[in-house]
Amino acid sequence: MSENKIKAGVVGATGYAGAELCRILTGHPGAELTAVSSVSFEGKKLSDIYPSYYQVCEPVCGKQEEVVEQCDVIFAALPHGLSQELAAECERIITIRDGRITGEAKGGGAQ
């Protein structure tokens, strides 16, 4: 891994949008696909679900919390209404990791 690559993760990696994000991130020169999650396929390789990803994109699906912990950037490819809790968790983590962003920030911006 290059020091300059962004650690990217996908929550909901086994749905159509999530799988496409994984494919795109795998080929992106500035990103490393670090972690993925899937409630339905936890513990399975992405290539077990999508055989065309064999030897191309083979991360093992973990838990959403693992993706949040391990990644700099998180893509949510979840069904409608399920991303709100993930966004709140990411905001809490950002508040802890970066002193410039406070828990009072509204609208997703830094103060």
XYZ file of all heavy atoms in Angstrom:
815
model
N 0.835 -1.185 0.000
C 0.000 0.000 0.000
C 0.873 1.239 0.000
O 1.820 1.353 0.745
C -0.900 -0.023 1.228
C -1.746 1.228 1.307
S -2.610 1.398 2.872
C -1.490 2.515 3.678
N 0.505 2.188 -0.799
C 1.208 3.462 -0.845
C 0.765 4.328 0.330
O -0.392 4.333 0.721
C 0.891 4.164 -2.166
O 1.341 5.488 -2.120
N 1.696 5.086 0.884
C 1.389 5.989 1.994
C 0.349 7.034 1.593
O -0.341 7.562 2.443
C 2.660 6.684 2.457
C 3.667 5.756 3.073
C 3.299 5.321 4.479
O 2.662 6.096 5.200
O 3.636 4.187 4.835
N 0.238 7.350 0.323
C -0.652 8.404 -0.144
C -2.077 7.931 -0.408
O -2.936 8.740 -0.687
C -0.090 9.032 -1.421
C 1.238 9.718 -1.166
O 1.511 10.174 -0.067
N 2.072 9.777 -2.179
N -2.321 6.644 -0.350
C -3.659 6.149 -0.670
C -4.622 6.351 0.497
O -4.265 6.206 1.658
C -3.610 4.668 -1.039
C -2.962 4.431 -2.382
C -3.154 3.009 -2.816
C -2.581 2.806 -4.209
N -2.957 1.513 -4.749
N -5.845 6.677 0.149
C -6.910 6.840 1.134
C -7.493 5.464 1.436
O -7.781 4.694 0.522
C -8.008 7.775 0.597
C -7.441 9.183 0.425
C -9.224 7.778 1.504
C -8.368 10.125 -0.297
N -7.676 5.169 2.713
C -8.282 3.903 3.121
C -9.796 4.046 2.990
O -10.424 4.788 3.748
C -7.907 3.572 4.560
C -6.447 3.279 4.741
C -6.144 3.004 6.201
C -4.669 2.771 6.400
N -4.351 2.565 7.817
N -10.352 3.341 2.023
C -11.778 3.442 1.739
C -12.504 2.174 2.158
O -11.948 1.074 2.100
C -11.998 3.681 0.242
N -13.738 2.339 2.591
C -14.563 1.210 2.972
C -15.960 1.351 2.405
O -16.417 2.454 2.111
N -16.626 0.204 2.254
C -17.991 0.196 1.731
C -18.878 -0.582 2.694
O -18.616 -1.753 2.991
C -18.054 -0.443 0.322
C -19.489 -0.469 -0.190
C -17.156 0.310 -0.654
N -19.908 0.074 3.184
C -20.922 -0.570 4.018
C -22.080 -0.919 3.090
O -22.585 -0.066 2.371
C -21.378 0.368 5.153
C -22.523 -0.247 5.935
C -20.211 0.693 6.064
N -22.457 -2.182 3.083
C -23.473 -2.644 2.142
C -22.833 -3.068 0.833
O -23.348 -2.824 -0.251
N -21.688 -3.727 0.948
C -20.857 -4.033 -0.222
C -21.431 -5.090 -1.149
O -20.965 -5.224 -2.274
C -19.467 -4.469 0.237
N -22.418 -5.840 -0.720
C -22.897 -6.936 -1.573
C -24.132 -6.587 -2.399
O -24.562 -7.389 -3.218
C -23.187 -8.194 -0.733
O -24.120 -7.863 0.297
C -21.903 -8.730 -0.128
N -24.677 -5.403 -2.212
C -25.747 -4.953 -3.091
C -25.143 -4.457 -4.398
O -23.916 -4.353 -4.535
N -25.978 -4.149 -5.362
C -25.459 -3.734 -6.677
C -24.568 -2.495 -6.569
O -23.441 -2.486 -7.060
C -26.608 -3.467 -7.661
C -26.104 -3.005 -8.997
C -25.563 -3.922 -9.891
C -26.114 -1.666 -9.346
C -25.051 -3.508 -11.112
C -25.606 -1.239 -10.552
C -25.087 -2.162 -11.440
O -24.575 -1.751 -12.640
N -25.063 -1.446 -5.916
C -24.283 -0.204 -5.807
C -23.003 -0.434 -5.005
O -21.930 0.053 -5.374
C -25.118 0.902 -5.163
N -23.086 -1.181 -3.914
C -21.920 -1.462 -3.096
C -20.863 -2.259 -3.840
O -19.663 -1.969 -3.742
N -21.291 -3.252 -4.594
C -20.343 -4.065 -5.362
C -19.656 -3.233 -6.439
O -18.450 -3.382 -6.678
C -21.069 -5.261 -5.990
N -20.394 -2.333 -7.058
C -19.788 -1.453 -8.064
C -18.790 -0.495 -7.418
O -17.720 -0.236 -7.968
C -20.864 -0.672 -8.826
C -21.530 -1.479 -9.909
C -20.544 -1.913 -10.987
O -19.991 -1.043 -11.702
O -20.310 -3.123 -11.115
N -19.127 0.026 -6.251
C -18.181 0.881 -5.528
C -16.890 0.119 -5.223
O -15.793 0.658 -5.388
C -18.801 1.381 -4.224
C -19.751 2.557 -4.335
C -20.554 2.720 -3.052
C -18.976 3.834 -4.642
N -17.028 -1.120 -4.791
C -15.840 -1.952 -4.505
C -14.988 -2.128 -5.754
O -13.762 -2.007 -5.707
C -16.256 -3.305 -3.956
S -16.945 -3.233 -2.293
N -15.634 -2.405 -6.865
C -14.904 -2.595 -8.125
C -14.173 -1.323 -8.518
O -12.988 -1.340 -8.873
C -15.864 -3.026 -9.241
C -15.176 -3.340 -10.561
C -16.186 -3.609 -11.662
N -17.046 -2.470 -11.936
C -16.677 -1.387 -12.629
N -15.453 -1.286 -13.106
N -17.521 -0.404 -12.834
N -14.855 -0.201 -8.429
C -14.262 1.089 -8.806
C -13.103 1.440 -7.870
O -12.029 1.846 -8.322
C -15.334 2.196 -8.802
C -16.322 1.965 -9.955
C -14.704 3.573 -8.888
C -17.607 2.760 -9.842
N -13.302 1.265 -6.575
C -12.249 1.599 -5.607
C -11.029 0.703 -5.763
O -9.898 1.151 -5.559
C -12.796 1.512 -4.178
C -13.767 2.611 -3.789
C -14.491 2.258 -2.503
C -13.046 3.947 -3.657
N -11.240 -0.550 -6.120
C -10.118 -1.473 -6.314
C -9.196 -0.991 -7.425
O -7.984 -1.135 -7.341
C -10.644 -2.891 -6.628
O -11.388 -3.352 -5.496
C -9.524 -3.858 -6.911
N -9.758 -0.375 -8.449
C -8.958 0.113 -9.566
C -8.505 1.556 -9.442
O -7.804 2.059 -10.316
N -8.890 2.226 -8.378
C -8.563 3.637 -8.237
C -7.130 3.799 -7.721
O -6.767 3.212 -6.703
C -9.536 4.315 -7.272
C -9.483 5.795 -7.329
N -8.431 6.526 -6.806
C -10.344 6.699 -7.851
C -8.655 7.807 -7.001
N -9.812 7.936 -7.631
N -6.319 4.608 -8.400
C -4.925 4.752 -7.989
C -4.733 5.480 -6.655
O -3.702 5.326 -6.012
C -4.293 5.552 -9.131
C -5.431 6.283 -9.757
C -6.633 5.393 -9.600
N -5.726 6.237 -6.206
C -5.578 7.003 -4.979
C -6.275 6.390 -3.777
O -6.312 6.990 -2.717
N -6.837 5.190 -3.968
C -7.594 4.575 -2.878
C -7.196 3.119 -2.694
O -6.787 2.445 -3.630
C -9.089 4.661 -3.174
N -7.333 2.670 -1.452
C -7.153 1.255 -1.125
C -8.461 0.790 -0.495
O -8.918 1.374 0.497
C -6.015 1.081 -0.121
C -5.884 -0.340 0.358
C -4.955 -0.495 1.556
O -4.514 0.525 2.108
O -4.685 -1.633 1.916
N -9.073 -0.240 -1.060
C -10.285 -0.803 -0.477
C -9.859 -1.579 0.771
O -9.334 -2.679 0.689
C -11.016 -1.702 -1.466
C -12.339 -2.279 -0.982
C -13.323 -1.176 -0.605
C -12.943 -3.180 -2.044
N -10.070 -0.982 1.929
C -9.545 -1.499 3.192
C -10.508 -2.436 3.897
O -10.099 -3.432 4.475
C -9.189 -0.317 4.126
O -8.272 0.525 3.432
C -8.582 -0.775 5.419
N -11.802 -2.123 3.861
C -12.784 -2.938 4.580
C -14.150 -2.805 3.913
O -14.482 -1.755 3.362
C -12.867 -2.500 6.037
N -14.912 -3.896 3.986
C -16.274 -3.911 3.464
C -17.167 -4.619 4.473
O -16.700 -5.416 5.278
C -16.368 -4.616 2.085
C -15.536 -3.892 1.045
C -15.964 -6.080 2.165
N -18.460 -4.314 4.405
C -19.394 -5.006 5.295
C -20.637 -5.439 4.546
O -21.011 -4.858 3.531
C -19.782 -4.118 6.479
O -20.696 -3.128 6.079
N -21.246 -6.487 5.106
C -22.510 -6.990 4.610
C -23.169 -7.779 5.729
O -22.541 -8.677 6.304
C -22.299 -7.911 3.402
O -23.510 -8.555 3.055
N -24.390 -7.445 6.049
C -25.112 -8.167 7.089
C -25.419 -9.589 6.602
O -25.250 -10.556 7.338
C -26.421 -7.426 7.464
C -27.280 -8.257 8.388
C -26.100 -6.089 8.100
N -25.813 -9.717 5.355
C -26.226 -11.012 4.813
C -25.071 -11.963 4.549
O -25.258 -13.176 4.572
C -26.994 -10.807 3.507
O -28.106 -9.983 3.716
N -23.889 -11.419 4.257
C -22.773 -12.268 3.834
C -21.527 -12.084 4.704
O -20.415 -12.276 4.224
C -22.434 -11.995 2.370
C -23.545 -12.356 1.432
C -24.384 -11.365 0.927
C -23.763 -13.666 1.058
C -25.410 -11.688 0.060
C -24.792 -13.992 0.193
C -25.618 -13.011 -0.305
N -21.706 -11.747 5.965
C -20.570 -11.547 6.856
C -19.700 -12.808 6.906
O -20.195 -13.927 7.006
C -21.073 -11.215 8.261
C -19.973 -10.825 9.211
C -20.497 -10.449 10.580
O -21.597 -9.873 10.672
O -19.791 -10.741 11.543
N -18.389 -12.593 6.768
C -17.438 -13.704 6.790
C -17.120 -14.289 5.426
O -16.248 -15.136 5.302
N -17.829 -13.852 4.395
C -17.576 -14.357 3.048
C -16.785 -13.352 2.230
O -16.933 -12.150 2.404
C -18.891 -14.651 2.330
C -19.643 -15.809 2.922
C -20.758 -16.224 2.000
C -21.385 -17.488 2.531
N -22.185 -18.164 1.535
N -15.969 -13.874 1.312
C -15.254 -13.005 0.380
C -16.252 -12.422 -0.621
O -17.210 -13.087 -1.017
C -14.224 -13.790 -0.418
C -12.996 -14.159 0.327
C -12.032 -14.788 -0.664
C -10.886 -15.462 0.000
N -10.025 -16.116 -0.988
N -15.975 -11.209 -1.041
C -16.821 -10.578 -2.055
C -16.834 -11.409 -3.332
O -17.857 -11.523 -3.998
C -16.325 -9.152 -2.329
C -17.300 -8.206 -2.987
C -18.584 -8.072 -2.187
C -16.668 -6.846 -3.174
N -15.708 -12.045 -3.637
C -15.626 -12.872 -4.849
C -16.438 -14.164 -4.729
O -16.749 -14.786 -5.737
C -14.168 -13.197 -5.179
O -13.575 -13.929 -4.129
N -16.799 -14.589 -3.508
C -17.694 -15.741 -3.348
C -19.111 -15.374 -3.761
O -19.873 -16.221 -4.227
C -17.714 -16.225 -1.896
C -16.417 -16.870 -1.465
O -15.611 -17.258 -2.348
O -16.184 -16.968 -0.239
N -19.458 -14.119 -3.600
C -20.796 -13.636 -3.942
C -20.848 -13.212 -5.406
O -21.817 -13.470 -6.104
C -21.181 -12.460 -3.017
C -21.152 -12.939 -1.560
C -22.541 -11.893 -3.353
C -20.620 -11.946 -0.600
N -19.772 -12.570 -5.858
C -19.648 -12.121 -7.245
C -18.431 -12.815 -7.868
O -17.310 -12.300 -7.770
C -19.492 -10.602 -7.322
C -20.727 -9.852 -6.883
C -20.827 -9.321 -5.605
C -21.802 -9.696 -7.754
C -21.969 -8.655 -5.196
C -22.948 -9.029 -7.350
C -23.021 -8.513 -6.075
O -24.157 -7.854 -5.680
N -18.613 -13.977 -8.484
C -17.473 -14.735 -9.027
C -16.608 -13.946 -10.017
O -15.416 -14.215 -10.134
C -18.135 -15.937 -9.707
C -19.431 -16.108 -8.979
C -19.867 -14.714 -8.620
N -17.172 -12.957 -10.679
C -16.378 -12.170 -11.630
C -15.326 -11.309 -10.928
O -14.409 -10.804 -11.572
C -17.282 -11.280 -12.484
O -17.964 -10.350 -11.671
N -15.419 -11.174 -9.609
C -14.442 -10.405 -8.835
C -13.263 -11.264 -8.373
O -12.349 -10.759 -7.745
C -15.099 -9.772 -7.615
C -16.009 -8.596 -7.923
C -16.389 -8.284 -9.217
C -16.493 -7.795 -6.913
C -17.217 -7.215 -9.486
C -17.328 -6.719 -7.170
C -17.680 -6.441 -8.460
O -18.496 -5.375 -8.713
N -13.281 -12.556 -8.689
C -12.215 -13.473 -8.283
C -10.864 -12.960 -8.759
O -10.700 -12.595 -9.913
C -12.493 -14.870 -8.857
C -11.431 -15.892 -8.535
C -11.258 -16.355 -7.231
C -10.593 -16.382 -9.518
C -10.288 -17.277 -6.926
C -9.608 -17.314 -9.230
C -9.466 -17.758 -7.920
O -8.492 -18.677 -7.624
N -9.920 -12.886 -7.871
C -8.555 -12.395 -8.083
C -8.491 -10.913 -8.463
O -7.451 -10.433 -8.877
C -7.809 -13.243 -9.117
C -7.549 -14.647 -8.641
C -6.700 -15.443 -9.606
O -6.603 -15.112 -10.784
N -6.079 -16.486 -9.089
N -9.601 -10.216 -8.334
C -9.637 -8.786 -8.630
C -10.011 -8.001 -7.373
O -9.348 -7.024 -7.028
C -10.653 -8.474 -9.760
C -10.776 -6.983 -9.992
C -10.278 -9.197 -11.032
N -11.060 -8.446 -6.709
C -11.595 -7.732 -5.546
C -12.102 -8.789 -4.569
O -13.209 -9.288 -4.723
C -12.724 -6.808 -6.010
S -13.421 -5.801 -4.713
N -11.263 -9.122 -3.568
C -11.613 -10.239 -2.696
C -11.599 -9.934 -1.195
O -11.211 -10.786 -0.402
C -10.673 -11.410 -2.970
C -10.749 -11.905 -4.387
C -10.100 -13.261 -4.561
O -10.754 -14.251 -4.245
O -8.941 -13.290 -4.992
N -12.013 -8.746 -0.771
C -12.053 -8.517 0.670
C -13.127 -9.388 1.327
O -14.104 -9.779 0.695
C -12.400 -7.037 0.793
C -13.138 -6.729 -0.453
C -12.521 -7.601 -1.515
N -12.938 -9.686 2.600
C -13.914 -10.463 3.356
C -14.899 -9.493 4.004
O -14.496 -8.486 4.601
C -13.209 -11.322 4.428
C -14.225 -12.037 5.304
C -12.268 -12.318 3.769
N -16.172 -9.790 3.872
C -17.216 -8.938 4.447
C -17.211 -9.047 5.967
O -17.300 -10.142 6.522
C -18.586 -9.348 3.919
S -18.772 -9.111 2.147
N -17.080 -7.909 6.613
C -17.090 -7.851 8.065
C -18.298 -7.092 8.559
O -19.316 -6.999 7.874
N -18.141 -6.526 9.735
C -19.214 -5.743 10.358
C -19.060 -4.266 10.015
O -17.950 -3.790 9.778
C -19.165 -5.909 11.872
C -19.433 -7.319 12.350
C -19.364 -7.365 13.867
C -19.459 -8.778 14.367
N -20.791 -9.238 14.592
N -20.157 -3.559 10.046
C -20.160 -2.126 9.771
C -19.195 -1.387 10.691
O -18.468 -0.491 10.251
C -21.582 -1.606 9.957
C -21.738 -0.109 9.836
C -23.186 0.301 9.920
O -24.019 -0.197 9.183
N -23.495 1.200 10.835
N -19.153 -1.763 11.947
C -18.278 -1.108 12.920
C -16.812 -1.234 12.525
O -16.010 -0.323 12.761
C -18.488 -1.695 14.317
C -19.871 -1.447 14.893
C -20.940 -2.414 14.368
O -20.597 -3.471 13.774
O -22.127 -2.104 14.532
N -16.432 -2.373 11.950
C -15.050 -2.589 11.519
C -14.681 -1.644 10.383
O -13.572 -1.125 10.332
C -14.854 -4.039 11.086
C -15.007 -5.039 12.218
C -15.108 -6.478 11.740
O -15.353 -6.715 10.536
O -14.943 -7.370 12.585
N -15.625 -1.422 9.478
C -15.382 -0.503 8.366
C -15.156 0.907 8.905
O -14.214 1.593 8.510
C -16.555 -0.524 7.352
C -16.340 0.497 6.249
C -16.735 -1.914 6.755
N -15.994 1.327 9.834
C -15.877 2.667 10.424
C -14.519 2.827 11.113
O -13.861 3.855 10.966
C -17.046 2.943 11.395
C -16.833 4.238 12.154
C -18.371 2.967 10.644
N -14.092 1.819 11.849
C -12.820 1.885 12.575
C -11.606 1.945 11.658
O -10.643 2.648 11.941
C -12.660 0.644 13.468
C -13.358 0.723 14.776
C -13.093 -0.524 15.617
O -12.085 -1.210 15.382
O -13.908 -0.793 16.502
N -11.625 1.185 10.569
C -10.437 0.984 9.745
C -10.251 1.984 8.618
O -9.169 2.050 8.037
C -10.455 -0.422 9.139
C -10.393 -1.527 10.162
C -10.553 -2.895 9.532
O -10.322 -3.079 8.346
N -10.972 -3.861 10.325
N -11.276 2.743 8.279
C -11.226 3.530 7.044
C -11.226 5.037 7.262
O -11.770 5.537 8.240
C -12.409 3.144 6.164
S -12.351 1.414 5.693
N -10.620 5.732 6.288
C -10.629 7.195 6.272
C -11.912 7.725 5.637
O -12.417 8.774 6.016
C -9.441 7.725 5.458
C -8.103 7.282 6.015
O -7.957 7.233 7.251
O -7.208 6.972 5.211
N -12.401 6.983 4.636
C -13.595 7.370 3.884
C -14.522 6.159 3.834
O -14.070 5.045 3.580
C -13.227 7.785 2.443
C -14.465 8.040 1.604
C -12.329 8.994 2.451
N -15.806 6.399 4.070
C -16.774 5.310 4.074
C -17.895 5.626 3.099
O -18.478 6.710 3.144
C -17.351 5.104 5.487
C -16.218 4.752 6.454
C -18.420 4.026 5.493
C -16.519 5.047 7.875
N -18.158 4.670 2.233
C -19.276 4.773 1.299
C -20.415 3.921 1.843
O -20.217 2.754 2.167
C -18.876 4.271 -0.093
C -17.864 5.143 -0.766
C -16.507 4.917 -0.575
C -18.257 6.186 -1.581
C -15.555 5.719 -1.188
C -17.318 6.994 -2.204
C -15.965 6.766 -2.003
N -21.597 4.508 1.951
C -22.767 3.779 2.425
C -23.619 3.399 1.227
O -24.135 4.263 0.532
C -23.566 4.631 3.399
N -23.738 2.118 0.994
C -24.575 1.601 -0.086
C -25.682 0.768 0.550
O -25.789 -0.439 0.329
C -23.733 0.774 -1.052
N -26.462 1.440 1.364
C -27.496 0.770 2.148
C -28.882 1.110 1.618
O -29.070 2.132 0.957
C -27.395 1.227 3.613
C -26.090 0.875 4.320
C -26.011 1.595 5.666
C -25.989 -0.622 4.513
N -29.871 0.276 1.952
C -31.252 0.597 1.568
C -31.704 1.913 2.204
O -31.162 2.351 3.231
C -32.058 -0.570 2.137
C -31.084 -1.683 2.272
C -29.774 -1.030 2.602
N -32.701 2.512 1.615
C -33.240 3.789 2.059
C -33.508 3.788 3.566
O -34.097 2.863 4.102
C -34.545 4.091 1.309
C -35.186 5.366 1.745
N -34.660 6.590 1.437
C -36.279 5.591 2.495
C -35.424 7.527 1.956
N -36.404 6.952 2.606
N -33.044 4.832 4.231
C -33.311 5.005 5.646
C -32.311 4.372 6.588
O -32.366 4.614 7.786
N -31.386 3.560 6.089
C -30.448 2.872 6.967
C -29.106 3.575 7.114
O -28.308 3.202 7.961
C -30.225 1.438 6.488
C -31.453 0.531 6.516
C -31.087 -0.871 6.045
C -32.056 0.472 7.909
N -28.854 4.580 6.314
C -27.557 5.265 6.372
C -27.484 6.302 7.478
O -26.392 6.711 7.878
C -27.264 5.944 5.032
O -27.138 4.983 4.026
N -28.608 6.733 7.998
C -28.627 7.808 8.990
C -27.861 7.434 10.254
O -27.074 8.220 10.780
C -30.060 8.182 9.322
C -30.181 9.448 10.112
C -31.616 9.927 10.190
O -32.543 9.206 9.822
N -31.802 11.138 10.647
N -28.046 6.214 10.754
C -27.335 5.764 11.951
C -25.831 5.669 11.678
O -25.016 6.045 12.525
C -27.873 4.408 12.399
C -27.299 3.938 13.706
C -27.894 2.616 14.152
O -29.132 2.472 14.120
O -27.113 1.732 14.530
N -25.464 5.189 10.506
C -24.053 5.105 10.130
C -23.435 6.507 10.077
O -22.335 6.719 10.573
C -23.897 4.410 8.779
C -22.504 4.404 8.170
C -21.523 3.644 9.051
C -22.544 3.800 6.775
N -24.141 7.458 9.502
C -23.634 8.826 9.414
C -23.415 9.419 10.802
O -22.405 10.091 11.044
C -24.597 9.699 8.607
N -24.321 9.154 11.720
C -24.168 9.653 13.089
C -22.934 9.037 13.747
O -22.187 9.726 14.446
C -25.420 9.349 13.902
N -22.697 7.759 13.527
C -21.518 7.100 14.098
C -20.238 7.674 13.497
O -19.262 7.920 14.210
C -21.575 5.586 13.863
C -20.358 4.832 14.348
C -20.127 4.881 15.853
O -21.020 5.287 16.605
O -19.022 4.507 16.283
N -20.232 7.908 12.202
C -19.055 8.486 11.544
C -18.789 9.891 12.070
O -17.647 10.253 12.310
C -19.236 8.515 10.035
S -19.221 6.880 9.290
N -19.827 10.675 12.266
C -19.652 12.025 12.796
C -19.060 11.977 14.205
O -18.172 12.747 14.547
C -20.977 12.777 12.812
C -20.817 14.204 13.291
C -22.100 14.989 13.227
O -23.179 14.426 13.488
O -22.022 16.180 12.917
N -19.497 11.030 15.023
C -18.969 10.888 16.373
C -17.486 10.530 16.319
O -16.676 11.092 17.037
C -19.735 9.800 17.132
C -19.318 9.684 18.581
C -19.964 8.496 19.257
N -19.416 7.237 18.797
C -18.216 6.753 19.121
N -17.415 7.451 19.889
N -17.806 5.587 18.670
N -17.110 9.634 15.426
C -15.711 9.224 15.286
C -14.869 10.406 14.806
O -13.779 10.641 15.313
C -15.569 8.041 14.302
C -16.292 6.812 14.832
C -14.119 7.744 14.002
C -15.707 6.215 16.079
N -15.361 11.158 13.855
C -14.626 12.318 13.344
C -14.398 13.322 14.466
O -13.326 13.877 14.615
C -15.371 12.974 12.164
C -15.292 12.065 10.942
C -14.785 14.345 11.840
C -16.204 12.469 9.809
N -15.398 13.529 15.280
C -15.277 14.457 16.404
C -14.139 14.026 17.323
O -13.371 14.840 17.801
C -16.605 14.516 17.183
O -17.626 14.948 16.300
C -16.514 15.477 18.354
N -14.004 12.741 17.550
C -12.961 12.220 18.435
C -11.587 12.298 17.775
O -10.609 12.661 18.397
C -13.286 10.770 18.838
C -14.514 10.753 19.734
C -12.097 10.112 19.550
C -15.094 9.381 19.962
N -11.486 11.994 16.501
C -10.204 11.898 15.819
C -9.613 13.230 15.409
O -8.424 13.372 15.247
C -10.339 11.021 14.568
C -10.495 9.571 14.875
C -10.496 8.781 13.596
N -10.789 7.386 13.867
C -11.143 6.526 12.959
N -11.244 6.886 11.707
N -11.387 5.277 13.275
N -10.439 14.230 15.171
C -9.948 15.488 14.626
C -10.417 16.633 15.515
O -11.590 16.965 15.517
C -10.466 15.658 13.195
C -9.885 16.869 12.508
O -9.316 17.745 13.186
O -10.000 16.954 11.283
N -9.498 17.226 16.245
C -9.845 18.288 17.178
C -10.467 19.507 16.534
O -11.088 20.315 17.199
N -10.314 19.683 15.217
C -10.887 20.847 14.551
C -12.378 20.716 14.366
O -13.081 21.677 14.167
C -10.232 21.056 13.193
C -8.761 21.445 13.296
C -8.131 21.553 11.935
N -8.196 20.261 11.278
C -8.407 20.067 9.992
N -8.545 21.071 9.184
N -8.450 18.860 9.483
N -12.893 19.511 14.385
C -14.329 19.296 14.197
C -14.924 19.032 15.570
O -14.480 18.157 16.289
C -14.593 18.102 13.266
C -13.960 18.370 11.897
C -16.082 17.834 13.130
C -14.037 17.199 10.954
N -15.949 19.777 15.909
C -16.561 19.602 17.227
C -17.884 18.877 17.105
O -18.465 18.786 16.026
C -16.800 20.975 17.884
O -17.856 21.630 17.176
C -15.555 21.823 17.924
N -18.370 18.389 18.230
C -19.665 17.730 18.268
C -20.808 18.678 17.980
O -21.923 18.265 17.748
N -20.521 19.992 17.970
C -21.546 20.999 17.715
C -21.731 21.254 16.210
O -22.632 21.972 15.831
C -21.182 22.315 18.391
C -21.020 22.200 19.894
C -22.326 21.804 20.567
O -23.371 22.352 20.205
O -22.278 20.925 21.446
N -20.845 20.671 15.379
C -20.927 20.927 13.939
C -22.262 20.449 13.390
O -22.727 19.376 13.723
C -19.780 20.243 13.211
N -22.872 21.261 12.565
C -24.157 20.902 11.953
C -24.010 20.961 10.441
O -23.225 21.723 9.912
C -25.248 21.859 12.412
C -25.465 21.826 13.917
C -26.878 22.158 14.205
C -27.231 22.278 15.632
N -26.802 21.482 16.626
N -24.752 20.146 9.744
C -24.720 20.174 8.291
C -23.498 19.497 7.697
O -23.213 19.672 6.526
N -22.770 18.739 8.488
C -21.644 17.967 7.967
C -20.365 18.755 7.770
O -19.399 18.244 7.260
N -20.341 20.031 8.155
C -19.143 20.832 7.920
C -18.331 21.027 9.176
O -18.837 20.935 10.286
N -17.078 21.311 8.977
C -16.190 21.609 10.112
C -16.359 23.061 10.519
O -16.697 23.910 9.716
C -14.743 21.353 9.722
N -16.118 23.322 11.785
C -16.216 24.709 12.270
C -14.861 25.326 12.356
O -13.889 24.712 12.597
C -16.889 24.732 13.627
C -18.327 24.303 13.541
C -18.997 24.421 14.899
O -18.360 24.555 15.932
N -20.304 24.370 14.883
